[in-house]
Amino acid sequence: DRARVLNQYQPDIIMHLAAESHVDRSIDGPGDFIQTNIVGTFNLLEQSKVFWDGLKKNKKDTFRFHHVSTDEVYGELPHPDADPQAKLYKFNENTAYEPSSPYSASKASSDHLVRAWHRTFGLPIVITNCSNNYGPYQFPEKLIPLTISNALHKEPIPIYGSGNQIRDWLFVEDHARALCLVAMEGYIGETYNIGGDSEVE
């Protein structure tokens, strides 16, 4: 029971990292992504609001709801073959949302819910949108471990679409440090993009 857990442990910060996060699976079965990323976020926001409403002022003033999202909500960066200026483009916190898969659309929806709970109910929130993570123990469906595993087993290496996508890669421990920094020092109501500044074709 979510309410019991919150009341028992009295957290100062709730960091919402739970998500369905694989584009291919979101295409094959979008329902799970809607339930986890949208309905799940709604449920957590509702419980967090009830918990926050019941806090004493000193605890209420320091509480944070930190929603962890993805840069895929912004869509795709242009490819240098299509636009010579493409290398100058970067996503930023003011980039318009243009999700292109059920996964990214569900995460965009959850971002909007979090902002709505802040603006409508005053829930103190911060949002982070990160680029592609990599690192130890990553689930094997993800690009880097899948490519390594297939190569080791002499199996075909998957190419997504035209193979021309540009991705920024972020080491998971760097991401974790950034999440802690934003959770502790970020400004209420703000969004922070977290990337590795290492776009690779």
Side-chain angles (χ1 to χ4, degrees), residues 6 31 45 61 67 81 106 113 132 144 156 168 170 176 184 201:
L6 292 176
L45 284 167
D61 289 345
H67 177 61
D81 291 345
S106 68
L113 285 176
N132 296 274
I144 290 177
D168 178 59
L170 175 63
M184 300 296 292
E201 293 182 40

Side-chain angles (χ1 to χ4, degrees), residues 152-169:
L152 288 172
H153 293 94
K154 298 185 178 355
E155 295 176 358
I157 294 173
I159 303 295
Y160 294 93
S162 65
N164 288 329
Q165 295 89 348
I166 297 174
R167 291 184 168 190
D168 178 59
W169 294 98

Side-chain angles (χ1 to χ4, degrees), residues 26-131:
S26 80
I27 295 168
D28 293 337
D32 289 343
F33 289 72
I34 302 303
Q35 284 301 314
T36 299
N37 298 348
I38 301 177
V39 178
T41 298
F42 163 73
N43 288 333
L44 193 52
L45 284 167
E46 283 288 86
Q47 291 297 329
S48 299
K49 177 184 174 296
V50 170
F51 172 72
W52 175 69
D53 280 340
L55 291 173
K56 293 182 179 177
K57 184 173 187 337
N58 61 328
K59 291 278 286 182
K60 197 168 189 175
D61 289 345
T62 57
F63 179 81
R64 302 287 184 273
F65 182 97
H66 181 175
H67 177 61
V68 180
S69 190
T70 172
D71 67 354
E72 293 203 31
V73 299
Y74 301 126
E76 297 179 3
L77 286 171
H79 193 272
D81 291 345
D83 185 342
Q85 299 296 310
K87 288 189 181 298
L88 302 177
Y89 298 154
K90 303 270 187 185
F91 295 136
N92 63 56
E93 289 81 358
N94 295 313
T95 300
Y97 276 30
E98 197 173 353
S100 57
S101 69
Y103 160 58
S104 56
S106 68
K107 288 301 290 182
S109 299
S110 67
D111 292 5
H112 291 318
L113 285 176
V114 172
R115 289 192 183 95
W117 259 245
H118 170 60
R119 292 170 184 165
T120 303
F121 304 113
L123 185 70
I125 63 97
V126 289
I127 296 174
T128 51
N129 296 82
C130 73
S131 56

Side-chain angles (χ1 to χ4, degrees), residues 3 8 19 46 53 93 111 132 143 147 187 199-200:
Q8 179 178 348
E46 283 288 86
D53 280 340
E93 289 81 358
D111 292 5
N132 296 274
L143 178 64
T147 300
Y187 290 100
E199 289 86 358
V200 177

